[in-house]
Amino acid sequence: MPRHLLAVEHTKIRALREQAGLTPQELADRVGVTYRVVVYWEEGRYAPEARNVRRLADALGCATADLTGTPSGSETLVDLRYAAGLTAEEVATRLRATAVGRDLFVDAHKVRSLERGRQVSGWNWRKPGHTGRLVQQIAAVYEVPVRMVVDAWMRTRPSDEPPQLPERERNGPPASAVEGWEGLNERQRVYLGEILRDDQMTETEMWMRRQNQAGVPPAKQWRKLPFALDAPTEVVGHTRLQQRLRSAGVHDQGAGATLHSLERLGLIKVTKDRVDVPGVGEADRTLVEITRRGRACARAGRGEPAESAPPAHLLSEWLWGVLLRVAAAGPEGLHESELTGKSLFYLAVGYRPKRQAHPSRGFIELRPRMAPGDTHVLEYRWHTTALGQQHIASYLHVYTEMYPAAASPAQ
C-alpha cells in the first residue's frame, strides 16, 4: 500500500546537521527559517513543508530520501514532489499552464488525491492517454525522467491502468550520423559497413544460440569481432571480416591504418588479445568493436533505419532479460551472488549510482532467507518487487514484440 503522507524523520535532521558540522543557527540561515523552527523540527514538534524538505537536503548535502527514509527505487508521487521542493498548490499552478492540465482541471486537491491513491474526480482521469500526457508534464515540473514518474504513479496507484505515454515520432537518421558518414573516404566507408554487417550477423548467431538453449557469452565479449591473427595466413587463413573486405577489394597492407583512423573518429574500438592457434601456438589477435556512434553512422550511410531506443518507461533488452531472470526464479529467488554489476543500479531497490544520479527502477530487491525459528539470516536472495511484477504484467506484450529473442517469464 502506498504511504498517504510523507514524514521526515526528525531524529535524522539533527544527526545529519551534526555530521555536516553545522549549528542549528547555521542550518536555519541556509534554509531560510528561524533558529526556533530548526529546533522544533529536530524535536519532532513540527514537520518541514515540502519546499523546506528540499532546502534542508541541499543545506545538509544529502538527498531528500535521507530525510524521509525512502529507499532508492521505492519513491511514490509524494516523494517526487517533496524532492522537487514544491507544494501541491505550486504543482497544480504549473500543470494548469499545460494543455493536459487544463483538460484534467488540475487543482491542489486533485494533486493530493493523486498522491494518496484516492479516486480523482473527472472522466478524463480514467483515460490512460490523458494520464500518460500528464505524466510527461509532471516529469517536466519535477525535473526528473518520465520513467521515474511512471514508476511512482504505479506504486502509488497500483489498481489504476498504467498511464499510456504518447508514441515517439520516428525520425530519419541523425544529422550528425549523416555528416559523419559523408566525412569518410570510400575505403573507410567499406570497412565501417562491413564491421556493422559482421556485428549484425554475430547478433543473429547469439539469438539462434539462445533459441537452442546454448550458452551465450556477455555482449561485451561477443561484440569484439576477430579482425586478424598475427600468424601465417597459409596456416590460419582469414577471419570472416578479412574475407568480406577482400571480396570488396579493399583488404591490403593498409588495414591497420584504416582501423586506427576509424578509431580516432570514435566509430570503432580496436583491442588485442592472445589466443591459442592449432599448429602455431599462442598468437596476437586484433579485435574490433563498433561503437554506438559508428553504428548510427554506418546505418545512415547504408540507408538502414536508425536503431530506435525503447520508450522512456521501458527497459533495454539487457535489463529486461535480467528482470525476467529474477522473475523466472519464482518464490525461491536468486542467490545474491547471481546478480552483480551495473544492472543493480538500474533495477534494484536501494541502489543509486551517485548521490545526484536518479535512482534505480526498484523492480527487484534483496530479501533475507531466515533459518528455522527465525533465529538468524541464512542468506539473501533476489526477488521481484510488487512494481516489478506489475511492470512485467503491464508491458509483457510490448516487450515480446520489441525483443522477440528474450525468453518469456514462464520459460
Side-chain angles (χ1 to χ4, degrees):
M1 292 295 292
R3 295 187 305 280
H4 284 187
L5 294 173
L6 187 67
V8 173
E9 298 182 24
H10 67 275
T11 56
K12 290 191 173 183
I13 299 177
R14 180 171 182 174
L16 290 167
R17 173 179 61 77
E18 293 176 345
Q19 182 179 327
L22 300 174
T23 65
Q25 185 60 60
E26 289 172 332
L27 179 58
D29 293 340
R30 291 191 180 191
V31 178
V33 297
T34 65
Y35 168 86
R36 187 175 297 276
V37 168
V38 169
V39 173
Y40 284 170
W41 286 344
E42 293 186 354
E43 292 176 350
R45 296 170 65 179
Y46 292 160
E49 296 178 348
R51 62 167 63 90
N52 286 330
V53 172
R54 174 64 178 269
R55 292 172 182 172
L56 260 176
D58 291 341
L60 295 170
C62 66
T64 56
D66 296 324
L67 294 169
T68 63
T70 303
S72 175
S74 62
E75 295 81 2
T76 59
L77 289 172
V78 72
D79 286 303
L80 298 187
R81 177 165 65 81
Y82 270 63
L86 299 172
T87 65
E89 289 76 11
E90 290 170 332
V91 173
T93 298
R94 298 188 186 188
L95 290 177
R96 278 200 304 271
T98 68
V100 68
R102 292 189 292 273
D103 289 344
L104 295 173
F105 299 97
V106 174
D107 58 26
H109 175 72
K110 291 182 178 180
V111 170
R112 295 190 185 95
S113 295
L114 188 68
E115 294 174 345
R116 297 178 182 185
R118 298 174 179 170
Q119 182 175 339
V120 184
S121 60
W123 181 251
N124 284 337
W125 285 87
R126 297 176 177 82
K127 298 179 179 178
H130 279 69
T131 55
R133 290 166 54 209
L134 182 65
V135 159
Q136 290 185 315
Q137 297 303 326
I138 292 175
V141 170
Y142 294 166
E143 298 180 350
V144 297
V146 169
R147 55 96 172 163
M148 281 188 68
V149 182
V150 173
D151 292 345
W153 186 295
M154 293 173 70
R155 290 189 192 99
T156 306
R157 310 179 65 82
S159 59
D160 285 5
E161 188 174 348
Q164 181 180 335
L165 299 179
E167 292 188 6
R168 295 178 177 177
E169 294 185 4
R170 294 183 177 271
N171 300 317
S176 58
V178 175
E179 183 180 350
W181 178 262
E182 292 176 348
L184 301 179
N185 61 38
E186 186 60 30
R187 179 186 179 87
Q188 292 168 333
R189 290 178 181 181
V190 173
Y191 266 65
L192 187 62
E194 294 301 338
I195 292 172
L196 174 64
R197 284 185 61 190
D198 204 54
D199 178 83
Q200 292 170 331
M201 285 190 64
T202 306
E203 188 171 26
T204 302
E205 291 166 359
M206 295 301 109
W207 178 82
M208 294 178 65
R209 291 182 63 173
R210 289 192 193 96
Q211 295 300 104
N212 293 321
Q213 306 298 315
V216 176
K220 64 181 180 181
Q221 292 181 16
W222 61 257
R223 286 203 182 275
K224 294 181 179 180
L225 310 172
F227 182 83
L229 278 169
D230 187 10
T233 305
E234 59 271 17
V235 177
V236 300
H238 294 96
T239 65
R240 188 166 67 185
L241 258 176
Q242 286 176 322
Q243 290 172 349
R244 288 182 178 282
L245 294 170
R246 284 168 61 86
S247 297
V250 296
H251 183 65
D252 53 35
Q253 296 302 314
T258 304
L259 291 183
H260 290 302
S261 65
L262 292 173
E263 186 176 35
R264 285 194 300 273
L265 293 170
L267 304 179
I268 64 171
K269 295 179 182 178
V270 181
T271 57
K272 288 185 178 291
D273 66 1
R274 288 185 66 80
V275 293
D276 187 57
V277 180
V280 176
E282 281 198 347
D284 289 332
R285 182 174 61 169
T286 301
L287 305 168
V288 294
E289 178 183 2
I290 192 166
T291 64
R292 181 176 298 180
R293 179 180 177 185
R295 187 174 286 107
C297 183
R299 282 179 173 274
R302 295 175 57 181
E304 296 182 8
E307 290 182 309
S308 57
H313 60 300
L314 299 184
L315 300 171
S316 67
E317 185 172 8
W318 162 55
L319 292 175
W320 173 240
V322 174
L323 179 58
L324 288 187
R325 183 181 171 198
V326 179
E332 287 296 313
L334 292 178
H335 190 272
E336 62 178 323
S337 64
E338 294 189 52
L339 284 187
T340 58
K342 293 183 179 180
S343 64
L344 302 182
F345 291 97
Y346 294 100
L347 295 177
V349 171
Y351 280 74
R352 182 190 296 267
K354 299 175 183 177
R355 187 177 70 84
Q356 297 298 333
H358 297 298
S360 75
R361 303 295 298 267
F363 289 166
I364 61 175
E365 64 183 350
L366 273 178
R367 298 177 191 166
R369 183 179 180 185
M370 306 301 294
D374 293 340
T375 55
H376 62 281
V377 176
L378 287 176
E379 61 184 5
Y380 287 88
R381 302 187 73 85
W382 291 107
H383 296 264
T384 51
T385 62
L387 179 63
Q389 295 168 6
Q390 187 180 2
H391 186 87
I392 293 173
S394 298
Y395 301 113
L396 177 60
H397 65 290
V398 181
Y399 283 116
T400 301
E401 183 177 345
M402 287 173 52
Y403 311 134
S408 71
Q411 287 182 297

